[in-house]
Amino acid sequence: MNDYPYRQDWSSVLELLNYSLYGEGMVCSMSTQLFHIPATENLEGNPEMHNHLVPASYHRVTAVGCVQRLQRDEYHNSIIKTLISCVNNGLREDQEVMRWLHVMRDNAPTEYRSFIESIISWQQQTEQSLASAQQLLRQMGFETQDQNQYGEFVY
């Protein structure tokens, strides 16, 4: 299968996805920490934000796995479709993550607002890396709009 039509160098896409996944780990770690601090354990917006953060993380992990498989010269069109769907779904979930992070910041005790601003900064970097991966896929010649019935698939 070394001559499939989508043969590409996937290292740049993988690097961007790994940056996004790293940032996602920081967002997950920091926002979950707030559940374990008495002053923020019931912070408005945190549970709602996690309802979107969990699938956003899933989509990033799946996208990384797809690219790792493509790098190993494993190919099937469904891998590409899964990759693109996961990137798109991750970006959609990110919009809601950011919306709820702002609710969290606005409702946090004053002494935790800068901490939540730091989470927002990590989330912005995470989103930018994923958006850059989407743009790179487009530059590589892949249609990055969902074109199949599983475009809204969430796990």
Side-chain angles (χ1 to χ4, degrees):
M1 286 196 165
N2 289 339
D3 58 350
Y4 64 84
Y6 295 111
R7 186 168 212 37
Q8 302 276 351
D9 177 5
W10 294 97
S11 58
S12 295
V13 176
L14 184 59
E15 183 177 12
L16 288 167
L17 291 174
N18 278 327
Y19 286 148
S20 187
L21 190 57
Y22 178 83
E24 189 84 343
M26 296 300 287
V27 172
C28 289
S29 171
M30 294 171 77
S31 62
T32 301
Q33 178 184 351
L34 294 171
F35 286 122
H36 301 283
I37 298 170
T40 58
E41 66 186 352
N42 295 312
L43 181 59
E44 184 180 344
N46 201 2
E48 296 86 352
M49 189 272 301
H50 275 84
N51 287 337
H52 298 282
L53 188 60
V54 170
S57 301
Y58 165 85
H59 290 302
R60 281 175 171 81
V61 168
T62 304
V64 167
C66 288
V67 173
Q68 289 170 335
R69 292 172 66 199
L70 291 165
Q71 263 193 324
R72 292 191 335 245
D73 290 336
E74 185 177 341
Y75 176 76
H76 192 273
N77 193 44
S78 60
I79 299 171
I80 299 291
K81 287 182 177 184
T82 301
L83 168 61
I84 291 168
S85 178
C86 284
V87 169
N88 291 341
N89 286 331
L91 288 168
R92 271 194 289 278
E93 294 292 343
D94 285 347
Q95 293 173 2
E96 292 299 309
V97 168
M98 188 61 79
R99 181 168 79 90
W100 288 106
L101 280 170
H102 287 267
V103 170
M104 291 166 59
R105 180 200 56 210
D106 295 346
N107 288 285
T110 305
E111 63 270 21
Y112 290 95
R113 288 191 182 149
S114 64
F115 182 76
I116 295 172
E117 284 292 341
S118 181
I119 300 171
I120 290 171
S121 178
W122 276 109
Q123 179 63 24
Q124 289 169 334
Q125 292 174 43
T126 298
E127 288 179 29
Q128 182 56 52
S129 298
L130 191 58
S132 294
Q134 183 186 53
Q135 181 179 3
L136 183 55
L137 286 166
R138 198 174 301 121
Q139 290 170 355
M140 292 167 70
F142 297 104
E143 176 60 48
T144 58
Q145 299 304 312
D146 288 323
Q147 295 182 352
N148 64 56
Q149 66 210 30
Y150 302 109
E152 298 299 319
F153 176 75
V154 178
Y155 81 101

